[in-house]
Amino acid sequence: MEPASSIPENATRILFFTGKGGVGKTSLACATAVALADAHKRVLLVSTDPASNLDEVLDVELNGEPKAVPTVDGLFALNIDPEASAKAYRERVVGPYRDVLPDAAVNSMEEQLSGACTVEIAAFDEFTKLLGDPSATTAFDHIVFDTAPTGHTLRLLKLPAAWTGFMDQNTTGTSCLGPLSGLNSQKSLYEESIRALSDPEWTTLYLVSRPEVTALREAERSRQELAALGVANQRLLLNAMFRAAGVDDPAALALERRGAEALAAMPTGLAELPSTEFPLRARAPMGVAGLRAVYGGADDQVLESSIAESTQAAPPSLATLVNQIERAGRGVVMTMGKGGVGKTTIAAAIAVELAARGHAVHLSTTDPAAHVAEVVAGSFPNLTVTRIDPKAETERYTAEVLNTAGAGLTPEGRALLEEDLRSPCTEEIAVFRAFAQAVAEGAAGFVVLDTAPTGHTLLLLDSAEAYHREVLRTASDMPDAVRNLLPRLRDPNYTKVLLVTLPEATPVHEAAKLQADLIRAGITPFAWVVNQSFHGDRFTDPVLRERGRRELPFLCEVQQQLASQSAVIPWSPDPPVGAESLRALVSGLELALPAI
C-alpha cells in the first residue's frame, strides 16, 4: 500500500482518473491537481465528462478554455464542451466548401454533421489535442484528466484505434461525419494520443474504486481493457475506506465489514496493482480547503454541525411511487441520474416489486457497464432481465441494413455500404434503435429501464433526429418504435422518469440540471428518489452521524424545491442484492443487522 503523498510526489506529466460513476474520481482528480499546484507546478485540470461537475467542486465557472482557479496559484481548469466542440468541428469541415459548392450541398453537409456521433468525435478531437499535441500544453507541467464514468471513458480511449482503422479502410472519402478529409487531418494526432497513453514515463492511469463488489469488478474490467489498449502504468485508488470508531454501532460495523469482504474478494489482477487508500470523510471534499484536506490538510472528518434538525414530515417510501406506477397497468419506468447513485438498484427494486404483484415486467439497461442481472441475483417469476448489448445490436443492425438497403446494389455499391457501416457511429444508431424497441414494449406491459450515466443518456435521447437522418442515408425503413419514441417519452401516462440521487451537493445539482434538460425536451420527471441516506438517529459513529446531519440541506432542497414528489431510501447495512433486499427497499423496511 503506497502513501497518498506518493501520488503528487511521483506524478507523470499526464494523469488519468477513471472508474465507476460515483466512486470519487472528480474529488481525487481535483485534490491531486491542487496538491501539484501547491508544490509549485503549473497544472491543467480537464474534465472529459459530458456531465462534468468540476465547476461545483472547485467553486469556479469553467468553459472550454483554461481558466485560473482562484486561491490556487498555478492551477487552471477547463471542461470539454461537447456542443461547442461539435460547432467548431462542423465549421472546420464545412467551412472550406462554403464558397465552392452550391448552397444545397453545403446545407446537406451541415445536416449530415448534426448528429450525436459528430458531437462525440468533436469532443474527442479536443481531448486528443490535449493528450497528443505537446505544443497545445507547453505552458503546463502536468495535465490531469477527470474522465467520464467507465463505459464512456473506455469508448473514448478506444476511439483513436477505431477511427484510424476506419480511415485506413474507407476509400469513399465520406462517412457519417461528412468528408473524411476532416478526419484525416487529425490522424497523426490520434496516433500520437495512442503513444502518449501507452508510455509509462508519460502517463499514469488511476483506477478509482470504493470498497464495493460492483465498483471493484468494474475497475478490473477497466484494467483489462486499458491494458489491451497498451495502457500499462496503472494504479488503484481505494476511496471512502471506512473503519468504525467503536464497537457500539452495529450499522457502522456492518459498513466496515462490507468493505472488508469486498476487498477480500477483489479480482487478482486488480489486487496486484500498486494501491492507495483514502478514508470515508464526514463530507465530500468541496472547495479548495476541502480538497487540500485529502492530502493531509486540516482534518474535517468530524465537524460540529450548526444545521438544525428538520421537523417536516418524512417523505413516502418507494412503495408509494410503485403504487402510482402500477395503476396504469403498463408503461415504461426509466431511472436516470449521475453515475454511482444507485439507478440500477432502484430500477431492479421497482421491477421485482411489480413482478411480485403479478405483473409481467421486462427489466433492461442502456448502461455499457450494466449489472442488473447481478442485482436481481437469480430468476424471479414474471420478470425478464436483459441488457442492450452494443456488439450484438450493431451486428443485428448491420445485417438488416445489408439485407434491405443493400439487397439491390451492385457488388461495388454493396462494398461501399459495408464500408460505411464499419463506421464507429453505427454502434450508436444500433443501440438507440434497441432502446426505442424496449420503450415500445411498454404498450403491452411494464418495462423498467436502467439508463447509462447522465451525459450518455442525454446523447441517447438527443439521437432521434440523428437516427432519422441515418436511416435516410442508408435507405432503410424507420421502425415504428423509433418513429413513436419521442411521443412516448413525452407522455406521462406512458413513461415515468425517476431521477435518482444521493443526498449530496453534486448528485443533487446534476440531477437538477438533468431535470431542466428533460423538461426542455418535453419530458417531465415523475419523481425523485434520494438513495443511501445516513440521515436520522440510527448511528452513533461520529463520521456517519456527521454525514447524516450534512445531508439535511440537500434532502430539503429535493423535497421543497426540485421534486413534485420524492422518496428517501435509508442506507442499508446489507448490499441490496436479491429479491428480499430489493423488496425491502420498496417497503421501507430495514433488514436486521448482522450480529456483532
Side-chain angles (χ1 to χ4, degrees):
M1 188 71 63
E2 297 181 345
S5 60
S6 67
I7 295 175
E9 287 174 358
N10 302 320
T12 54
R13 186 166 192 272
I14 295 174
L15 297 85
F16 269 93
F17 290 79
T18 191
K20 186 178 185 292
V23 295
K25 297 182 301 294
T26 297
S27 296
L28 293 183
C30 290
T32 301
V34 169
L36 288 168
D38 286 346
H40 310 294
K41 303 292 186 181
R42 285 182 64 82
V43 183
L44 178 61
L45 175 61
V46 180
S47 175
T48 67
D49 194 334
S52 170
N53 62 316
L54 283 189
D55 304 56
E56 185 164 26
V57 175
L58 295 170
D59 194 24
V60 59
E61 188 173 341
L62 301 174
N63 54 32
E65 298 295 326
K67 184 172 183 178
V69 177
T71 74
V72 186
D73 292 339
L75 178 58
F76 295 76
L78 68 84
N79 286 321
I80 293 179
D81 183 337
E83 293 298 333
S85 299
K87 183 178 180 181
Y89 177 87
R90 282 191 293 269
E91 186 56 34
R92 186 167 69 246
V93 174
V94 177
Y97 297 93
R98 290 195 186 280
D99 298 324
V100 178
L101 298 177
D103 289 345
V106 173
N107 291 339
S108 177
M109 290 172 61
E110 289 180 328
E111 177 76 4
Q112 194 174 12
L113 289 168
S114 60
C117 48
T118 302
V119 174
E120 184 171 12
I121 194 63
F124 182 69
D125 268 0
E126 298 300 315
F127 163 77
T128 52
K129 186 187 301 179
L130 296 169
L131 180 63
D133 181 4
S135 66
T137 56
T138 52
F140 302 101
D141 300 304
H142 298 281
I143 317 299
V144 180
F145 286 97
D146 168 35
T147 69
T150 309
H152 185 87
T153 298
L154 290 176
R155 180 174 174 78
L156 198 67
L157 293 179
K158 286 178 178 177
L159 275 172
W163 284 109
T164 54
F166 176 58
M167 287 186 289
D168 286 341
Q169 297 172 32
N170 188 294
T171 59
T172 65
T174 62
S175 74
C176 56
L177 300 176
L180 274 176
S181 58
L183 296 177
N184 276 317
S185 63
Q186 304 294 98
K187 183 176 178 180
S188 62
L189 183 59
Y190 295 168
E191 292 170 344
E192 287 301 319
S193 299
I194 296 172
R195 278 193 281 271
L197 285 169
S198 58
D199 185 349
E201 300 297 321
W202 193 255
T203 299
T204 305
L205 192 289
Y206 292 102
L207 295 165
V208 185
S209 181
R210 286 179 173 244
E212 300 169 358
V213 171
T214 55
L216 290 166
R217 187 177 296 128
E218 184 69 14
E220 169 62 10
R221 186 176 74 89
S222 299
R223 183 197 68 79
Q224 294 178 8
E225 296 195 20
L226 290 163
L229 288 171
V231 184
N233 188 13
Q234 301 185 28
R235 301 285 189 274
L236 174 63
L237 305 184
L238 292 167
N239 195 28
M241 295 288 290
F242 177 75
R243 291 177 177 82
V247 296
D248 59 346
D249 187 334
L253 292 172
L255 178 59
E256 179 181 342
R257 181 161 52 246
R258 184 199 294 188
E261 290 172 351
L263 293 177
M266 186 190 307
T268 302
L270 199 63
E272 292 175 348
L273 293 179
S275 61
T276 305
E277 290 186 2
F278 294 86
L280 178 72
R281 308 184 76 84
R283 61 174 178 175
M286 301 289 287
V288 171
L291 293 169
R292 284 188 169 125
V294 172
Y295 282 107
D299 183 11
D300 71 341
Q301 277 291 94
V302 180
L303 300 175
E304 191 62 34
S305 177
S306 61
I307 301 170
E309 292 296 320
S310 173
T311 57
Q312 67 186 70
S317 69
L318 191 56
T320 303
L321 302 182
V322 174
N323 291 342
Q324 296 178 51
I325 293 169
E326 184 185 20
R327 289 190 194 113
R330 55 110 177 104
V332 174
V333 178
M334 295 177 62
T335 56
M336 293 186 177
K338 177 179 168 61
V341 297
K343 297 183 301 297
T344 301
T345 298
I346 300 304
I350 293 171
V352 166
E353 180 64 22
L354 288 171
R357 297 182 184 188
H359 301 282
V361 182
H362 178 193
L363 171 64
S364 190
T365 181
T366 67
D367 194 335
H371 54 276
V372 286
E374 297 170 13
V375 173
V376 174
S379 60
F380 194 80
N382 304 319
L383 180 63
T384 301
V385 181
T386 66
R387 65 181 291 264
I388 295 176
D389 182 342
K391 182 179 179 181
E393 296 302 335
T394 301
E395 291 174 352
R396 186 178 296 115
Y397 172 70
T398 299
E400 181 178 323
V401 171
L402 290 173
N403 288 334
T404 54
L409 295 178
T410 64
E412 292 80 8
R414 186 176 176 87
L416 292 178
L417 179 59
E418 290 175 344
E419 195 169 82
D420 201 15
L421 288 168
R422 286 197 292 270
S423 161
C425 300
T426 300
E427 180 181 304
E428 283 291 335
I429 301 300
V431 169
F432 177 76
R433 210 168 70 144
F435 167 74
Q437 183 57 49
V439 170
E441 292 178 16
F446 283 109
V447 176
V448 181
L449 288 171
D450 162 39
T451 71
T454 309
H456 187 85
T457 297
L458 288 178
L459 287 176
L460 195 65
L461 294 179
D462 283 344
S463 293
E465 295 297 328
Y467 179 83
H468 182 59
R469 288 188 292 273
E470 171 72 2
V471 167
L472 294 177
R473 186 174 65 83
T474 56
S476 180
D477 293 325
M478 177 181 285
D480 287 341
V482 174
R483 185 177 296 107
N484 295 320
L485 176 62
L486 285 178
R488 283 169 172 155
L489 293 178
R490 289 169 174 161
D491 181 357
N493 295 316
Y494 189 97
T495 299
K496 291 180 171 55
V497 174
L498 275 68
L499 296 179
V500 184
T501 186
L502 300 178
E504 301 171 10
T506 296
V508 167
H509 297 155
E510 186 167 316
K513 293 177 188 176
L514 174 57
Q515 177 167 262
D517 288 336
L518 289 169
I519 290 173
R520 279 194 294 273
I523 302 170
T524 301
F526 167 68
W528 285 53
V529 177
V530 183
N531 196 24
Q532 299 179 33
S533 174
F534 285 95
H535 187 64
D537 57 3
R538 296 173 297 143
F539 307 102
T540 60
D541 185 274
V543 171
L544 300 186
R545 284 185 62 83
E546 185 64 22
R547 284 186 70 89
R549 282 195 291 267
R550 289 182 176 276
E551 290 177 0
L552 184 56
F554 307 111
L555 292 171
C556 291
E557 184 176 0
V558 170
Q559 295 171 30
Q560 298 173 7
Q561 301 176 33
L562 296 171
S564 59
Q565 58 180 341
S566 63
V568 175
I569 310 297
W571 176 83
S572 173
D574 288 329
V577 174
E580 180 184 2
S581 295
L582 292 171
R583 296 199 69 193
L585 285 185
V586 174
S587 66
L589 298 175
E590 293 186 47
L591 295 178
L593 288 164
I596 299 176

